[in-house]
Amino acid sequence: MRKVILQEFVTLDGLAAGPNNSVDFIPAATRGDQSFGKEQSALMDSVDAILLGRVTYQMFAGYWPNVTEGEEKPFADKLNSAPKIVFSQTLDRAPWGTWKEARIVKGSAASEVAKLKRQSGKDMIIWGSISLAQSLIGERLIDEYRLVVCPVVLGSGRRLFGDTSIEMQLLNAKSLDREAVSLKYILKG
């Protein structure tokens, strides 16, 4: 069965977004980090679908299709060519620059993801997409959590886990070049 991997950037105080849903803390913690770049490239080789919520889709679609040179290009090419599914009640289309459009799912994310997990293929990745992630966490549909803990405290914002109680088992912890820490967990039991 395919796995759903959630990669989320969080602050030391457990926030996945700051005030006004700002994620400005993320680039400061990872930009130019060679260790993180290698980890991301390997991750892209292990997945064949990207699952996104509307807000993260709009942010990504405005950036990644436009990366045509530089050190991010090899990763961008992998990300841009991967099939994408956007969970949104409001979008009718999800263009991705000159690349293939993402598929829109307006129905239940949990039902669609459960169906996708039963299909053959590589694993699936969710980046950001806090509302989507929270709905799938609540349904126990996330198989692996990759948390990148950024060395910043924001004080207020959106928590990833909210009131959800989950026991996890640590698979790996790795210090990155720019002082963030990459943690890999699976559900216990």
Side-chain angles (χ1 to χ4, degrees):
M1 183 181 292
R2 298 167 84 182
K3 290 189 310 186
V4 175
I5 300 167
L6 171 64
Q7 183 175 61
E8 198 74 55
F9 294 82
V10 295
T11 63
L12 290 172
D13 52 345
L15 301 174
N20 301 314
N21 286 320
S22 171
V23 291
D24 293 344
F25 67 94
I26 295 172
T30 58
R31 187 167 308 275
D33 189 314
Q34 297 300 311
S35 178
F36 182 69
K38 288 176 187 172
E39 189 175 291
Q40 289 301 100
S41 185
L43 176 59
M44 279 306 301
D45 290 338
S46 72
V47 301
D48 66 2
I50 299 170
L51 311 178
L52 300 168
R54 180 191 54 83
V55 174
T56 303
Y57 154 73
Q58 290 173 323
M59 185 173 39
F60 277 27
Y63 181 77
W64 289 111
N66 300 311
V67 176
T68 57
E69 59 186 35
E71 65 183 32
E72 290 184 320
K73 186 180 182 327
F75 176 78
D77 287 347
K78 288 179 182 183
L79 186 147
N80 289 328
S81 64
K84 291 161 219 50
I85 301 169
V86 177
F87 294 87
S88 171
Q89 298 295 315
T90 58
L91 294 177
D92 293 318
R93 293 185 57 230
W96 197 269
T98 59
W99 301 84
K100 184 178 178 185
E101 283 195 18
R103 180 168 66 91
I104 300 284
V105 173
K106 292 185 179 253
S108 164
S111 295
E112 181 68 18
V113 170
K115 182 175 80 174
L116 290 167
K117 287 178 72 161
R118 290 188 299 271
Q119 295 175 357
S120 63
K122 293 182 178 180
D123 294 336
M124 299 171 280
I125 182 78
I126 301 170
W127 280 302
S129 307
I130 300 170
S131 295
L132 172 62
Q134 289 173 335
S135 72
L136 299 177
I137 290 168
E139 296 291 330
R140 300 288 199 248
L141 288 169
I142 306 291
D143 300 291
E144 184 177 304
Y145 293 81
R146 292 186 179 208
L147 305 178
V148 179
V149 182
C150 301
V152 64
V153 173
L154 296 178
S156 66
R158 277 182 86 183
R159 298 199 172 285
L160 173 60
F161 294 104
D163 295 335
T164 305
S165 175
I166 302 173
E167 286 192 48
M168 296 187 199
Q169 174 184 338
L170 179 67
L171 294 181
N172 189 11
K174 178 180 175 188
S175 295
L176 301 175
D177 298 338
R178 297 200 37 140
E179 300 179 5
V181 177
S182 175
L183 303 171
K184 189 187 301 184
Y185 288 95
I186 58 171
L187 294 177
K188 250 186 183 174

